[in-house]
Amino acid sequence: MSETLSLSERRADFPILDQKVHGRPLVYLDNAATSQKPRVVIDALSNYYLRDNANVHRGIHELSNRASAAFENTRERAAKFLNAKSAEEIVFTRGTTESINLVAQTWGLANLKPGDVILLTEMEHHSNIVPWQMLAKRTGAKLAFVPVMGDEGLLDLAAADQLLDAPVKLFALTHISNALGTVNPVADLCAKARKRGIVTLVDGAQSAGHRRVDMQEIGCDFFAASGHKMCGPTGIGLLYGRHELLEAMPPWQGGGDMISNVDYFESAWNKVPHKFEAGTPNIADTIALHTALDYLDEIGRDRIEHHDLELASYAYDRLATLPRIRLFGPAKGRAGLVSFHFADIHAHDVVMMADMEGVALRGGHHCTQPLMKKYGVSSTSRASFYFYNTTQEVDRMIDVLKAVQKFFGA
Ligand code: C6P
């Protein structure tokens, strides 16, 4: 990897990376599960609690004004980060999962009827399957899935074309697969859906912190993301929704802040996006997310994307030299993760042995059980990268995996 691509100087911003695990320097390769947090984000959290802590949208005192302004500034910042048309199109949620559930429970319940089709893909995370199954049971709608082709893990786009011609009401698909590293052509697919009047939702859990995600370019109606996967705190996520849709949708949870007027028997709703944010929100984490978004844009999301691709390609090529390995996802143009399976060695054994060497991987079904079943494996091992990871860390992972294979006599 060329020197200009190396973002390893950023490692110093992440105090957690500078430690030994089981006596070995930590190699953190579980970034698809959650990213680490730079010191500026940790400082933003503690500064808020040290100086500004108050409830938002309620008080008239100075601390409440400060907290409210910082909270709403994050909404502006998130709108800019996603290139939404306005901050009103950004709803704060707990994360991708909650964003998708919100759409299912509001837009979905209001719009779906028996026989309507909810189109998903075979590579979706449980968060983009189960809420739709629950909705289908309540409304009588049906689920259909765009097939994934072979171990390369690309969507069957010809099949997608045909499936979109069924009476599809919603097409919900992931931007980047957390189990394969596939990057889906979401802009093309959303354009095809839009032509047929189909509403689209893009699961951006694995993309938002790793590349530019532009709502106008992607052209989706909804986009879901998690702050904790993009250098932000846990417990704060984003739902982008096209304004007309948010406006027409009923609220989800009832309570404080989501109303404009309450009587004993009737209430009127607040304007969007507040209509969808009942109760005291996650103020501190929202404010610290602003810092995380600034931090990512200061590095440059194009650089991060390039770094991800280079590192994942390097890892993929080195992994491919190991015996009895099955690699998942595309060989070229992949996102910053690699998923693999050793014949006769369970992923949990791989990950436990790697952990003893200080290398943090993830082994399991990655919340994509239907996809694992399709591939006939119960689990895979996964290394997922971020801009602070280095080729030296990939080399250490490969050494450890060779030792694992030797131990198991593979
Ligand atoms: N994937 C992983 O290790 P939450 O939990 O709401 O922040 O994100 C859910 C989610 C939704 N979609 C995709 C594509 C995801 O990858 C995830 C989270 C983690 O791969 C935990 S299973």
Side-chain angles (χ1 to χ4, degrees):
M1 184 181 298
S2 74
E3 209 35 52
T4 50
L5 277 176
S6 170
L7 292 168
S8 55
E9 77 276 4
R10 289 286 173 176
R11 287 179 75 82
D13 298 340
F14 293 80
I16 200 169
L17 295 176
D18 185 22
Q19 64 172 296
K20 290 195 168 153
V21 167
H22 304 303
R24 300 305 192 96
L26 169 66
V27 174
Y28 184 78
L29 301 180
D30 196 16
N31 294 286
T34 198
S35 77
Q36 296 302 348
K37 323 300 172 203
R39 191 185 291 277
V40 283
V41 169
I42 300 165
D43 287 348
L45 272 176
S46 69
N47 286 340
Y48 166 75
Y49 282 121
L50 287 170
R51 296 207 297 260
D52 301 329
N53 177 48
N55 212 328
V56 291
H57 306 145
R58 290 159 169 81
I60 310 179
H61 57 79
E62 171 61 15
L63 293 195
S64 178
N65 289 340
R66 269 192 234 155
S68 302
F71 182 81
E72 289 305 325
N73 280 344
T74 305
R75 206 187 298 278
E76 297 278 348
R77 184 66 185 87
K80 203 169 141 213
F81 191 82
L82 297 178
N83 196 23
K85 283 191 178 145
S86 83
E88 289 170 3
E89 296 187 316
I90 305 296
V91 180
F92 291 129
T93 63
R94 283 191 300 132
T96 305
T97 304
E98 191 171 80
S99 296
I100 297 173
N101 276 278
L102 191 159
V103 176
Q105 295 301 315
T106 58
W107 180 88
L109 273 182
N111 287 284
L112 291 188
K113 55 180 194 323
D116 285 343
V117 175
I118 302 167
L119 184 60
L120 309 173
T121 84
E122 286 182 344
M123 67 172 79
E124 297 310 313
H125 187 276
H126 296 168
S127 299
N128 201 25
I129 299 177
V130 183
W132 307 118
Q133 291 175 343
M134 292 161 70
L135 179 67
K137 287 228 160 70
R138 286 183 71 178
T139 59
K142 292 184 297 193
L143 300 181
F145 295 86
V146 178
V148 170
M149 300 183 300
D151 286 4
E152 257 222 301
L154 297 175
L155 286 182
D156 183 339
L157 296 176
D161 273 341
Q162 281 181 2
L163 284 161
L164 282 166
D165 282 334
V168 176
K169 269 279 172 67
L170 174 85
F171 185 19
L173 77 162
T174 195
H175 194 174
I176 290 179
S177 159
N178 68 318
L180 301 167
T182 309
V183 185
N184 288 322
V186 283
D188 288 353
L189 288 168
C190 287
K192 285 180 176 168
R194 198 168 50 245
K195 265 196 204 137
R196 295 159 163 100
I198 297 165
V199 168
T200 50
L201 179 147
V202 172
D203 173 347
Q206 298 296 345
S207 63
H210 289 261
R211 55 181 54 219
R212 274 188 319 108
V213 281
D214 180 323
M215 296 306 103
Q216 312 313 315
E217 256 172 55
I218 294 176
C220 53
D221 294 301
F222 297 106
F223 184 91
S226 299
H228 71 96
K229 293 189 201 286
M230 44 179 166
C231 290
T234 49
I236 176 66
L238 302 174
L239 171 66
Y240 157 82
R242 218 154 40 73
H243 197 270
E244 309 87 90
L245 287 176
L246 291 182
E247 200 64 69
M249 278 154 56
W252 185 23
Q253 296 175 331
D257 231 23
M258 51 74 72
I259 45 76
S260 60
N261 182 58
V262 178
D263 290 315
Y264 279 119
F265 295 101
E266 290 278 350
S267 297
W269 315 137
N270 203 341
K271 54 189 192 313
V272 296
H274 306 288
K275 178 168 86 172
F276 300 105
E277 294 175 3
T280 299
N282 185 351
I283 305 165
D285 295 320
T286 307
I287 292 171
L289 178 64
H290 190 167
T291 309
L293 301 183
D294 284 348
Y295 179 83
L296 290 178
D297 274 346
E298 186 202 311
I299 295 173
R301 276 179 281 162
D302 290 342
R303 274 181 88 198
I304 295 173
E305 180 186 347
H306 197 176
H307 179 272
D308 270 7
L309 174 66
E310 291 278 314
L311 207 55
S313 306
Y314 178 71
Y316 185 95
D317 291 346
R318 289 222 58 196
L319 283 167
T321 65
L322 300 181
R324 295 168 67 69
I325 192 168
R326 185 173 169 197
L327 280 156
F328 295 95
K332 298 223 174 335
R334 60 174 36 252
L337 63 93
V338 285
S339 194
F340 55 94
H341 181 75
F342 288 134
D344 310 325
I345 313 177
H346 196 281
H348 287 168
D349 292 326
V350 174
V351 171
M352 274 168 63
M353 284 190 70
D355 179 54
M356 294 318 292
E357 297 297 321
V359 178
L361 301 174
R362 181 166 179 197
H365 53 62
H366 314 293
C367 296
T368 57
Q369 273 187 357
L371 182 70
M372 296 289 125
K373 286 176 195 160
K374 176 185 164 92
Y375 283 127
V377 294
S378 61
S379 57
T380 70
S381 306
R382 184 187 71 185
S384 52
F385 310 109
Y386 216 2
F387 52 84
Y388 39 72
N389 291 123
T390 64
T391 46
Q392 289 79 2
E393 289 183 312
V394 173
D395 292 340
R396 260 198 63 206
M397 173 186 79
I398 298 289
D399 289 346
V400 165
L401 294 176
K402 282 181 178 166
V404 172
Q405 286 196 306
K406 198 163 166 208
F407 180 85
F408 283 97

